[in-house]
Amino acid sequence: MPELWQFTKLIRSKNAGPFELTFDIMFKDRDSFERVLASGALSVETIAEIYRTNFGNSQNSFGAKTRVPLS
Amino acid sequence: MLTQKLKAVAATGNLSTGFREETLIRAVKDGAHFVGCDAGTTDSGPYYLGSGKPRGPREGVKRNLRLILREALNAGIPVIVGTAGHAGGRPHLEWTVDIVRELAKENDWHFKLAAIDSEVEKEVLAQALDRGEIAPLSPTPRLQREDILQAKRFVAMMGIEPIQRALQSGAQIVIAGRCSDVAIYAALPVLQGIPKAVAFHAGKILECGAASAAQRLYPDCMSAELDQDGFTVEPPNPALRCTPQSVAAHTLYETGDPYLLVESGGTLNTVEAKFEAASDRAVRVSGSRFLPSAEYTVRIEGAALVGYRAIVVAGIRDPLVLRQLDSFLSNLRTVIERKVEDSLKLAANQYTLTFRVYGRDGSMGDAEPIGKVEGHEVGLIIDVVASSQAVAADIIPIASHTGLHTPIPEHDGLISNFAYPFSPGGIDAGPVYQFCANHVWRLNDPCMPFKMSLCDL
């Protein structure tokens, strides 16, 4: 199974202020972006499950962004 | 009159981290209208705000300020420093202003200096709370009158208006307390007639200096040329380059929402922003919008003292211990708590004892999806927070000696499982603070909480 980094230029985690953690994923191109999104691997449910949080919030622009609360 | 083109230079992403002298000289010579620099962040946690201590090194900050002031004074352009001393409280502002005064004296420089104090007296904030002017954001720490009065320090985060007031008062060097990163770079352009949508988006890109480059090799300057329709960002250091992707990526860096950046006075909306290559190292950005907010609010930050920390670091390499690490640590906790009660007469609820296991879930804690040991060793930090430094320091040797000899069923006789890298093992880590506010303050006057003092040096 291909891994996420093979489709991206940047995967990073960064806090947004003291109370939130975000993940930014910047894709190599539009095609990579759409393939990964279509796979469902970055769905709100998947992210929420992986990080054991019920507040998964995934959105996208040039890339995708996910935010989770910092405990 | 509308300004046609305005060039903003960010000296670096954080005043204490530095930049290359030749890059700043080049950037200013290239027609800069002002130099900005962010000097702080909450990313390092609540310690600086709580303790009132600035983050140095002082000599490094002085070197960087010396070069910024020298180049800006030579060019006759303003300097705007935001979030002085790392947390932007009164002692942080004073520390930074002291360096500026020292530099002016040493170099026989003369200019009008504005210092903008953003520390909010606890009683003033409590009264604002009583009047219903303080609104919670999510998540919301409890912030009632007594919480405010018990906390160590509060600051309000200024928007563009207090900086504009300083510039309009004739200040050439503006040192601001707690300040929006974006406002450092948006204040002057908006004053000169650049649309807020352009100025705020450019500010977001500039606030971390060279961080919006494709490969930020080291901390350095960044430049942007703003006009009525957008801005062009280009690193003044020829070794760096910006790409549409690197600039788009920085647009959503450390923001909660990839499209919406909430600032005092309104929200930058980048849904329709276009990022286009202007050359192989410059990027043209256009199409953002700025939506003014119905009410003007500023963010409130506060820090409260939690206790005092002492730690000890240990390596664990025994595969049999690692195989049963969870139960091992659970047993260890039980014995430490009993011994602390016996020796120090402290119940377990009078201090906190945390095992941080690097090699299992040290980075992510409860959010770690793997959550078990897969390698051949782990690094353990025993982290104690107690009511005084002396008590925390007393608990540490009990914890470390207990850990060293905690038995497992597979070994008979006295075992010693922990490898301590340091002697003494215990390290006093000082006072511990927590952020105690995630609130905004509704203001009729955007400058109200911010006290400006002007002086001619």
Side-chain angles (χ1 to χ4, degrees):
Chain A
M1 191 171 69
E3 296 188 331
L4 184 57
W5 65 270
Q6 294 170 297
F7 298 92
T8 63
K9 282 199 153 184
L10 169 68
I11 303 173
R12 76 175 160 217
S13 67
K14 178 71 179 76
N15 62 299
F19 301 102
E20 265 186 340
L21 179 65
T22 72
F23 297 96
D24 300 342
I25 303 165
M26 300 302 287
F27 291 88
K28 282 180 178 163
D29 47 42
R30 187 100 210 159
D31 183 53
S32 305
F33 171 62
E34 279 166 5
R35 274 183 67 189
V36 172
L37 240 63
S39 76
L42 292 181
S43 72
V44 172
E45 295 74 22
T46 314
I47 297 296
E49 192 185 322
I50 290 173
Y51 297 106
R52 301 177 193 177
T53 169
N54 51 20
F55 181 65
N57 186 350
S58 177
Q59 296 168 1
N60 51 63
S61 57
F62 257 53
K65 189 166 190 97
T66 292
R67 56 178 175 174
V68 297
L70 276 170
S71 55
Chain B
M1 194 184 75
L2 297 179
T3 301
Q4 289 308 306
K5 285 183 186 297
L6 192 150
K7 186 153 182 179
V9 170
T12 186
N14 186 299
L15 182 61
S16 69
T17 64
F19 49 84
R20 295 217 156 174
E21 183 172 356
E22 60 269 31
T23 310
L24 184 73
I25 291 170
R26 178 196 295 257
V28 172
K29 282 213 170 108
D30 201 28
H33 288 77
F34 73 100
V35 179
C37 195
D38 181 17
T41 176
T42 57
D43 291 357
S44 323
Y47 173 79
Y48 299 96
L49 182 60
S51 66
K53 290 189 178 161
R55 194 184 79 172
R58 191 180 192 278
E59 278 309 303
V61 169
K62 188 175 175 184
R63 175 265 185 192
N64 300 334
L65 272 174
R66 179 173 58 80
L67 298 178
I68 292 169
L69 293 181
R70 186 188 73 196
E71 293 309 306
L73 292 170
N74 279 340
I77 57 173
V79 171
I80 302 166
V81 173
T83 311
H86 210 65
R90 193 164 300 140
H92 310 91
L93 181 66
E94 286 167 358
W95 181 83
T96 309
V97 166
D98 187 55
I99 296 173
V100 171
R101 287 177 178 277
E102 200 171 287
L103 284 166
K105 197 173 171 190
E106 285 170 9
N107 295 281
D108 196 25
W109 287 336
H110 300 281
F111 49 82
K112 191 183 280 289
L113 170 70
I116 311 175
D117 183 358
S118 60
E119 187 160 328
V120 182
E121 303 299 344
K122 290 187 265 184
E123 187 52 40
V124 170
L125 190 63
Q127 286 168 14
L129 185 82
D130 294 343
R131 290 194 301 269
E133 294 168 5
I134 306 297
L137 301 173
S138 177
T140 314
R142 197 186 93 128
L143 190 68
Q144 294 175 358
R145 173 168 264 277
E146 62 268 29
D147 304 310
I148 292 175
L149 298 180
Q150 281 166 18
K152 280 285 174 186
R153 180 174 286 102
F154 289 92
V155 288
M157 188 192 287
M158 72 185 78
I160 60 175
E161 293 82 358
I163 298 170
Q164 292 177 330
R165 183 177 59 169
L167 293 169
Q168 286 174 314
S169 305
Q172 186 177 1
I173 310 299
V174 180
I175 309 294
R178 188 60 174 133
C179 178
S180 146
D181 299 353
V182 172
I184 297 167
Y185 298 100
L188 188 147
V190 170
L191 209 52
Q192 299 287 322
I194 297 290
K196 283 185 176 173
V198 174
F200 278 65
H201 197 162
K204 174 61 195 166
I205 298 307
L206 287 169
E207 53 111 353
C208 285
S212 56
Q215 290 279 337
R216 198 210 71 157
L217 306 170
Y218 35 75
D220 210 358
C221 316
M222 186 60 73
S223 297
E225 192 171 72
L226 291 68
D227 58 44
Q228 290 296 311
D229 304 312
F231 64 95
T232 303
V233 56
E234 180 172 355
N237 178 342
L240 304 180
R241 61 192 195 96
C242 285
T243 66
Q245 189 161 43
S246 75
V247 177
H250 201 75
T251 296
L252 50 78
Y253 181 64
E254 64 190 3
T255 64
D257 185 292
Y259 291 130
L260 302 177
L261 181 65
V262 180
E263 288 286 318
S264 288
T267 298
L268 179 73
N269 181 318
T270 61
V271 169
E272 287 170 36
K274 277 198 257 175
F275 303 88
E276 298 163 299
S279 74
D280 63 348
R281 45 190 304 284
V283 175
R284 174 74 182 169
V285 182
S286 60
S288 292
R289 287 174 293 146
F290 185 84
L291 307 160
S293 53
E295 291 181 313
Y296 193 96
T297 60
V298 289
R299 183 182 284 270
I300 298 295
E301 289 168 353
L305 183 69
V306 176
Y308 297 81
R309 169 174 285 128
I311 63 167
V312 61
V313 178
I316 306 177
R317 179 62 177 80
D318 183 328
L320 297 177
V321 173
L322 294 178
R323 214 162 62 186
Q324 55 195 305
L325 190 64
D326 291 349
S327 60
F328 175 87
L329 291 177
S330 172
N331 295 339
L332 174 58
R333 173 182 296 279
T334 304
V335 179
I336 292 172
E337 287 175 356
R338 183 180 57 72
K339 287 169 70 173
V340 168
E341 184 133 30
D342 290 347
S343 311
L344 305 175
K345 298 189 169 40
L346 281 175
N349 64 5
Q350 292 178 283
Y351 60 96
T352 63
L353 172 66
T354 308
F355 298 130
R356 301 182 183 278
V357 183
Y358 288 86
R360 187 188 67 186
D361 56 4
S363 298
M364 296 202 53
D366 290 341
E368 172 56 57
I370 294 173
K372 61 177 195 231
V373 178
E374 292 190 331
H376 62 276
E377 68 176 352
V378 300
L380 172 69
I381 296 177
I382 300 179
D383 170 3
V384 170
V385 177
S387 59
S388 74
Q389 191 66 62
V391 171
D394 275 352
I395 294 171
I396 284 293
I398 294 174
S400 58
H401 185 261
T402 308
L404 181 63
H405 297 307
T406 292
I408 56 170
E410 292 86 343
H411 296 312
D412 284 343
L414 187 67
I415 61 170
S416 54
N417 297 311
F418 286 10
Y420 291 111
F422 311 127
S423 172
I427 300 166
D428 284 351
V432 180
Y433 300 89
Q434 67 181 9
F435 285 117
C436 62
N438 191 24
H439 294 70
V440 293
W441 186 359
R442 297 190 197 97
L443 299 175
N444 291 321
D445 171 6
C447 293
M448 190 274 276
F450 306 104
K451 296 169 282 293
M452 176 176 70
S453 49
L454 288 168
C455 72
D456 289 298
L457 294 183

